[in-house]
């Protein structure tokens, strides 16, 4: 991250309080802040950092939800675990299964709630959507003309 100072401390402080997200304000008001991002390397770097943080959070919470789903789907098919629970730990198989199932459900609920919070409280959806559309555009440009002409307009 750059150590350069912000060239307009007032605007920099406002942007910092918004976590460098100007997607929520009106286009007329946005112009000044966009101009500041063009002029100020520090705020530009901070904005990039915060957006990648949001993207990472969204990715981690959705991965977490997926892993809990996977764990729930696997629960029924693991005989070795039943063996360990029954022989080594002396636990009842039913109880163990219910305990793991409850933990899986709780984890899944927590992950989904965390993902919902990340998607509503941060500009992650628009940030990730922007990346996706940019990648799609770049991919389309790399396609041969014959294939590109087949695409409906
Ligand atoms: Zn700045």
């Amino acid at each position: 991250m750059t150590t350069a100072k912000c060239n307009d401390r007032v605007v920099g402080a406002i942007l910092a309080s918004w976590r460098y997200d100007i997607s929520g304000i009106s286009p007329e008001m946005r112009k000044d802040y966009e101009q500041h991002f063009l002029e100020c390397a520090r705020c530009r770097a901070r904005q990039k950092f915060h957006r990648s943080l949001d993207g990472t959070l969204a990715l981690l919470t959705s991965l977490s939800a997926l892993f809990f789903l996977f764990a729930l789907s696997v629960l029924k098919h693991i005989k070795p675990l039943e063996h360990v629970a029954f022989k080594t730990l002396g636990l009842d198989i039913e109880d163990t299964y219910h305990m793991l199932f409850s933990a899986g459900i709780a984890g899944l609920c927590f992950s989904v709630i965390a993902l919902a919070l990340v998607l509503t409280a941060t500009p992650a959806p628009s940030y990730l959507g922007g990346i996706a559309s940019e990648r799609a555009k770049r991919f389309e440009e790399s396609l041969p003309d014959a294939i590109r002409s087949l695409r409906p307009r």
Side-chain angles (χ1 to χ4, degrees), residues 5-9 11-13 15 20 36-37 39-44:
K5 289 210 164 159
C6 183
N7 59 25
D8 187 338
R9 286 186 142 192
V11 177
L15 286 171
Y20 302 90
H36 182 75
F37 279 127
E39 290 165 358
C40 178
R42 182 181 186 271
C43 290
R44 207 168 41 235

Side-chain angles (χ1 to χ4, degrees), residues 140 143 146-153:
E140 197 181 305
L143 289 175
I147 295 174
R148 224 185 304 172
S149 64
L150 294 175
R151 190 174 174 272
R153 297 279 155 193

Side-chain angles (χ1 to χ4, degrees), residues 57-77:
L57 276 176
L59 187 74
L60 283 179
T61 47
S62 47
L63 274 180
S64 164
L66 276 179
F67 280 127
F68 276 112
L69 264 181
F70 178 71
L72 284 174
S73 68
V74 158
L75 257 183
K76 275 194 168 175
H77 307 284

